[in-house]
Amino acid sequence: MTSIRNRSTLGRFPTVNFGYEEDKEKETEEAEEAEENKSQKENSCQQWLWKVCPCCCPKPNDDDLTDTLIIGPGDENPKDSTNNSVTDDDELEGNWLHIQFTIRLFVTVQSVDLMKSKSGENRTEHHTDLYQSENCIIRRGQKFHILYTLSRPFNPNTDKLHLEFKTGPLPTVSKGTHVIIPLVEELKGNRWEAAIVSQTDKSIKLSVNSPASAVIGKYQVSVETSNSTKKSVFTHDSANDVYMLFNPWCKDDTVFMNSEDERNEYVLNEIGRIYYGTENQIGVRTWNYGQFDDGILAACIFVLEKSGTPPSGWGDPVNVVRIISAMINAPDDSGVVQGNWSGVYSDGNAPTVWSGSVEILKQYHKTSGKPVKYGQCWIFAGVFTTVLRCLGIPSRTVSNFSSAHDTDVSLTTDIYLDENLEPIEHLNADSVWNFHVWNDCWMARPDLPEGYGGWQAVDATPQETSQGTFRCGPASLAAVRNGQVYLKHDCPFVFAEVNSDKIYWMKNADGTFSQIYSEKKVVGHKISTKAVGSDERSDITHLYKHAEGTEEERIAVETACRYGSKAEAYSSPTAEDISVEVTMDGKDPNMGEDAELTITVQNSSSEQRNVFLHSQAAVMYYTGVHKATVRKDNTDLAMLPNEDYKGHLIDQAALMLTLSGRVSETQQVLATQFSFRLRTPDLIIKPIGKAVVGEKTAVEILFTNPLPQVLKAVIFHVEGLGLLSAQKIPYGDIGSHASVSITEHFTPTLPGPSKLLASLDCKQLTQVHGVADITVEKRMTLLWPCTNQGFTF
């Protein structure tokens, strides 16, 4: 008896018995056997595909959802076998088709933790734990961490993830205001990058690097996840904005300050002292900078935004301090404080009322940028210090007594008298203030020649315009001190404040003026700031000018005034027949050896010349910031006609020589600078044996300490592409003139030529490194045709 079922029908037959039991049982056995054979065949094919092409046919894992659909004839609504929706009645309707399918769940971000707690690692390691804010506040050039919770565990083989940081109204990738941060296997440093440092179930912890030149400001943060077919963006939430600041703790940042005590004073100290009065009666008042107070960081960022300047320029501290200098005063751009020297303050506060910056900045922010009434120089300077320290730029408030105000770029303070020696008031625009307060800020000056980094004078009091805006600086104190007023920014004005001569001019009968008298020691006295770590007054006049009346100081004045509008106020030399040159013979000197320079002074005249020559040798940071003066010399030379003089300066570790002098007979001024480097020793790297892919090998690293002192806590760094990832090898101390050898083992992963790099790091000696060329051979593999098995030798 035959079955009523059509054996060609696809699918599983319902278990219904019409009385034909034998046929039913036989049919069931045949169906089960066919299904088993089919399953085995499919499993074999699937396993083969997994081996041949794992990317196209990946194995299911715990993240995959597997389900079965049962589809009946003509049914538009498939039944899910997991919800027991298939009944016996359904099966009676007709034949059914089982379809097993796998859905790979797409990974998405569920939440983000910027680890922004004040006691958390981000805030404490970045020295931002003092900010009374719940925001994520970090410093550039230093890694920070973010914790993401995902919809499922992250699979680095199939899932992709990157971060996006945006700042400003029109974020642009090319301008550094829209940053796409890739996920990398290992952080390299000083660039935008992120790496997974830990993973627990559905959570991943990222370590994120930023370059030391990154734009500062408020960033909006988002994260994108994707695979080959789909992407998802975890959008920006204002509660997760990131504030990026300058980093005086980072050696690669141009605002880096080496001294911990000075960082504590000029970045982290919230209370200051401001000096006023006269040079003989100096008064002092305490000022609350409050740079970490709640809302002050947001107010400082608002000041930058209110300037209307492009955020792409906010990575350069020179540019930022010029912006802030203009924005602290009200003219031009409705800045923070409106100045008033009239004595009438009825519609605002008298300048003497304020005792800190916090109230001023909060009021400015709260009123969306309405200038606060009223201020004078110490108010501008106090608020300026707050903003700079808040943004991470080391700064201090500075008071100058008997401070000149030069209005015509003459670099002199000019007093005009009529024929009867009465002052001509409408011409006497220059003035000397009892005191004036401005700011110093600390930074390298890569826009200037070497030697002009370090402290820079900046002034927010609206006195004169700079490039059409009321602002001043940054002016290098080193340039001001030596009269090098041709260096930017606003060195002529600052020089005149501290070291201009007061010159008296009398009107002649023909309407011209003649110089009748000059005073040389009346401007720039007792320049003062709060001492580091105490409430004492620190006199820093020597940073702004040479000692009054010395030959160096007079040379600086006359050098500066040559670039002023009244260069005729100083007699020109009757001849310029003396030349000076500095040279170095042979190769660059090695670290620990003497540096021998030759100073050549040549008299090309036919008469004897008497020359006063001052020399100074100084150690410089690589950024051009002056570190220490190591030697000074004064020399008087009697130069016979057409005579050459050669002198030798021998010194250890002098990297810049500055010469200045004067010829007595002609008043010719001599000046020159000579920069040089001391050569550090190399690391010698010697390969040990052959380098083969997958096989362990080694190199020997040799080093000799060139210094007569112990190198403390030495660390060797070794890395090589395809050889080994970056490794730190703590070594310890290396004695004076001692030689050491270390052996580093590694297993190459890539064949071909490569370079192994090594460097040495310690406080006493830097820039010590070496390189070795290493060619990695392929690993030999012999195949036996009979078995297709490989044997490695």
Side-chain angles (χ1 to χ4, degrees):
M1 184 174 294
T2 61
S3 171
I4 63 171
R5 301 291 185 185
N6 184 348
R7 296 185 182 274
S8 65
T9 304
L10 296 175
R12 180 173 61 85
F13 300 132
T15 56
V16 180
N17 189 346
F18 289 99
Y20 310 105
E21 200 64 31
E22 293 181 2
D23 187 66
K24 164 95 171 44
E25 291 177 359
K26 183 177 180 181
E27 185 179 78
T28 300
E29 292 176 359
E30 291 176 352
E32 290 176 350
E33 184 178 355
E35 188 70 25
E36 183 179 353
N37 292 336
K38 180 181 179 181
S39 176
Q40 291 177 353
K41 183 177 181 180
E42 287 178 350
N43 288 340
S44 299
C45 293
Q46 188 66 54
Q47 290 173 6
W48 183 83
L49 285 171
W50 289 339
K51 293 180 179 180
V52 172
C53 192
C55 58
C56 298
C57 302
K59 291 185 178 181
N61 54 45
D62 293 338
D63 300 333
D64 298 337
L65 178 63
T66 302
D67 207 347
T68 302
L69 285 182
I70 303 176
I71 304 175
D75 193 350
E76 296 182 357
N77 298 304
K79 307 298 189 298
D80 186 347
S81 66
T82 61
N83 61 16
N84 300 321
S85 58
V86 182
T87 66
D88 288 342
D89 293 337
D90 290 329
E91 294 187 352
L92 288 171
E93 297 286 333
N95 299 330
W96 295 86
L97 174 63
H98 280 218
I99 301 177
Q100 185 173 350
F101 61 93
T102 298
I103 301 175
R104 184 170 300 280
L105 296 178
F106 178 69
V107 65
T108 59
V109 175
Q110 302 297 299
S111 65
V112 57
D113 180 3
L114 293 175
M115 309 177 73
K116 55 189 178 182
S117 166
K118 283 184 284 186
S119 59
E121 59 182 306
N122 279 344
R123 296 283 293 272
T124 54
E125 291 179 3
H126 285 250
H127 305 277
T128 60
D129 50 311
L130 295 177
Y131 288 86
Q132 301 304 307
S133 168
E134 298 305 318
N135 296 105
C136 179
I137 306 169
I138 57 176
R139 299 188 187 275
R140 67 185 191 176
Q142 185 175 344
K143 68 180 180 182
F144 58 98
H145 296 99
I146 304 177
L147 188 65
Y148 286 106
T149 301
L150 308 177
S151 59
R152 61 164 173 78
F154 186 80
N155 185 346
N157 295 323
T158 58
D159 300 327
K160 295 181 180 180
L161 180 148
H162 72 262
L163 310 180
E164 294 194 21
F165 278 42
K166 298 179 181 179
T167 188
L170 294 172
T172 307
V173 172
S174 62
K175 295 184 180 298
T177 53
H178 177 187
V179 183
I180 300 174
I181 306 175
L183 202 61
V184 298
E185 291 186 0
E186 182 182 0
L187 298 179
K188 297 296 185 182
N190 204 23
R191 64 178 183 178
W192 286 107
E193 56 185 354
I196 298 176
V197 292
S198 66
Q199 182 171 353
T200 305
D201 192 26
K202 298 179 182 180
S203 296
I204 58 171
K205 183 179 181 181
L206 300 185
S207 183
V208 185
N209 264 345
S210 64
S213 58
V215 168
I216 62 108
K218 182 172 67 174
Y219 283 86
Q220 299 176 351
V221 182
S222 61
V223 58
E224 179 178 302
T225 55
S226 63
N227 59 21
S228 58
T229 60
K230 187 178 180 181
K231 68 178 180 179
S232 172
V233 178
F234 188 80
T235 56
H236 159 255
D237 178 358
S238 60
N240 288 325
D241 284 341
V242 171
Y243 287 83
M244 180 78 73
L245 307 179
F246 291 104
N247 194 350
W249 283 266
C250 174
K251 291 184 178 181
D252 294 323
D253 198 316
T254 47
V255 302
F256 169 68
M257 178 171 268
N258 190 50
S259 167
E260 184 65 25
D261 290 340
E262 291 185 342
R263 287 195 296 256
N264 288 334
E265 180 67 48
Y266 299 131
V267 181
L268 301 181
N269 192 1
E270 294 187 86
I271 303 294
R273 309 261 285 176
I274 299 180
Y275 300 92
Y276 62 95
T278 67
E279 61 177 292
N280 296 318
Q281 293 176 307
I282 297 178
V284 62
R285 65 180 300 163
T286 300
W287 190 265
N288 176 27
Y289 296 124
Q291 66 267 31
F292 304 126
D293 203 86
D294 185 29
I296 294 302
L297 176 57
C300 293
I301 297 298
F302 173 75
V303 170
L304 276 175
E305 294 171 344
K306 185 72 164 51
S307 71
T309 57
S312 58
W314 296 356
D316 178 7
V318 174
N319 184 49
V320 168
V321 298
R322 281 183 68 74
I323 293 170
I324 300 299
S325 173
M327 284 301 300
I328 297 298
N329 61 67
D332 306 317
D333 38 32
S334 296
V336 178
V337 178
Q338 184 171 326
N340 188 339
W341 287 264
S342 69
V344 179
Y345 315 112
S346 57
D347 59 341
N349 287 329
T352 52
V353 168
W354 307 108
S355 59
S357 310
V358 172
E359 184 180 355
I360 294 172
L361 284 166
K362 285 187 175 181
Q363 181 178 329
Y364 183 71
H365 192 197
K366 183 178 180 180
T367 59
S368 299
K370 183 178 180 181
V372 178
K373 301 176 180 179
Y374 287 105
Q376 292 180 2
C377 65
W378 70 92
I379 309 295
F380 294 112
V383 175
F384 204 169
T385 296
T386 297
V387 176
L388 293 181
R389 290 186 183 181
C390 184
L391 297 178
I393 300 177
S395 59
R396 61 190 182 190
T397 305
V398 175
S399 298
N400 177 39
F401 294 93
S402 298
S403 184
H405 180 183
D406 176 27
T407 60
D408 60 358
V409 202
S410 65
L411 285 80
T412 57
T413 301
D414 300 302
I415 308 297
Y416 292 94
L417 309 173
D418 61 18
E419 295 89 337
N420 300 317
L421 299 181
E422 294 288 334
I424 305 175
E425 296 298 339
H426 71 278
L427 292 181
N428 290 331
D430 291 353
S431 59
V432 177
W433 298 16
N434 286 342
F435 75 98
H436 180 47
V437 187
W438 63 73
N439 303 83
D440 285 346
C441 59
W442 180 272
M443 65 185 68
R445 290 297 301 272
D447 58 325
L448 300 181
E450 284 189 356
Y452 297 99
W455 287 115
Q456 313 287 314
V458 288
D459 195 346
T461 300
Q463 298 180 88
E464 301 295 328
T465 60
S466 172
Q467 295 178 321
T469 302
F470 280 103
R471 59 186 169 188
C472 181
S476 167
L477 265 59
V480 170
R481 187 172 189 261
N482 294 308
Q484 294 161 318
V485 296
Y486 45 84
L487 297 174
K488 58 185 181 181
H489 292 278
D490 307 312
C491 282
F493 185 81
V494 178
F495 177 88
E497 287 183 303
V498 300
N499 207 14
S500 59
D501 289 347
K502 183 181 286 186
I503 298 183
Y504 295 81
W505 304 83
M506 187 178 74
K507 189 174 183 179
N508 299 318
D510 61 359
T512 60
F513 288 86
S514 297
Q515 179 181 342
I516 60 171
Y517 182 68
S518 66
E519 293 179 294
K520 295 181 170 61
K521 300 180 182 181
V522 295
V523 167
H525 297 160
K526 295 184 179 178
I527 303 175
S528 304
T529 191
K530 178 186 174 301
V532 173
S534 78
D535 285 338
E536 298 299 316
R537 182 181 72 88
S538 177
D539 192 311
I540 57 171
T541 307
H542 63 285
L543 298 180
Y544 277 86
K545 58 194 295 188
H546 295 281
E548 290 281 10
T550 62
E551 189 69 10
E552 294 93 338
E553 187 263 345
R554 287 292 87 198
I555 290 173
V557 171
E558 295 181 25
T559 299
C561 288
R562 285 189 177 190
Y563 298 90
S565 59
K566 292 185 174 65
E568 70 276 7
Y570 295 90
S571 57
S572 299
T574 56
E576 294 189 356
D577 44 30
I578 299 293
S579 62
V580 61
E581 181 184 19
V582 181
T583 57
M584 176 184 292
D585 297 329
K587 297 181 179 179
D588 295 341
N590 294 318
M591 182 70 69
E593 298 177 354
D594 291 337
E596 183 170 332
L597 306 181
T598 300
I599 303 169
T600 302
V601 183
Q602 184 176 28
N603 178 10
S604 58
S605 75
S606 58
E607 301 176 0
Q608 177 172 317
R609 296 283 187 252
N610 294 296
V611 179
F612 166 82
L613 198 62
H614 170 77
S615 64
Q616 173 180 295
V619 177
M620 315 299 292
Y621 287 109
Y622 80 96
T623 55
V625 177
H626 178 279
K627 180 179 181 182
T629 299
V630 294
R631 179 167 175 170
K632 291 184 178 180
D633 284 307
N634 292 321
T635 306
D636 289 305
L637 303 175
M639 302 288 297
L640 298 176
N642 300 305
E643 181 187 16
D644 290 351
Y645 166 83
K646 292 191 177 182
H648 298 279
L649 174 69
I650 298 176
D651 192 68
Q652 288 189 349
L655 302 181
M656 177 177 283
L657 176 68
T658 301
L659 290 176
S660 60
R662 184 199 301 278
V663 181
S664 300
E665 291 78 10
T666 63
Q667 301 303 301
Q668 177 187 350
V669 172
L670 306 174
T672 188
Q673 287 185 322
F674 182 79
S675 298
F676 61 98
R677 300 288 181 190
L678 298 182
R679 224 166 53 85
T680 55
D682 295 327
L683 293 179
I684 305 301
I685 305 174
K686 295 181 177 180
I688 301 175
K690 287 197 308 181
V692 179
V693 171
E695 297 182 8
K696 198 170 185 179
T697 187
V699 293
E700 182 184 16
I701 302 174
L702 305 172
F703 169 72
T704 299
N705 178 8
L707 300 180
Q709 65 184 106
V710 176
L711 304 183
K712 299 285 188 179
V714 172
I715 297 177
F716 289 90
H717 298 251
V718 184
E719 64 178 292
L721 182 62
L723 302 175
L724 77 167
S725 58
Q727 306 288 328
K728 288 185 178 180
I729 309 172
Y731 184 86
D733 298 346
I734 299 178
S736 168
H737 299 296
S739 296
V740 299
S741 169
I742 64 172
T743 301
E744 177 67 7
H745 296 272
F746 59 95
T747 303
T749 57
L750 295 175
S754 186
K755 292 182 182 293
L756 189 137
L757 311 176
S759 62
L760 177 148
D761 181 39
C762 68
K763 289 185 177 180
Q764 296 79 18
L765 189 61
T766 60
Q767 295 287 4
V768 177
H769 47 79
V771 61
D773 292 316
I774 296 179
T775 300
V776 181
E777 298 179 1
K778 292 182 179 180
R779 195 175 188 183
M780 288 185 60
T781 300
L782 182 61
L783 297 179
W784 293 83
C786 57
T787 60
N788 286 333
Q789 294 179 336
F791 295 87
T792 302
F793 296 88

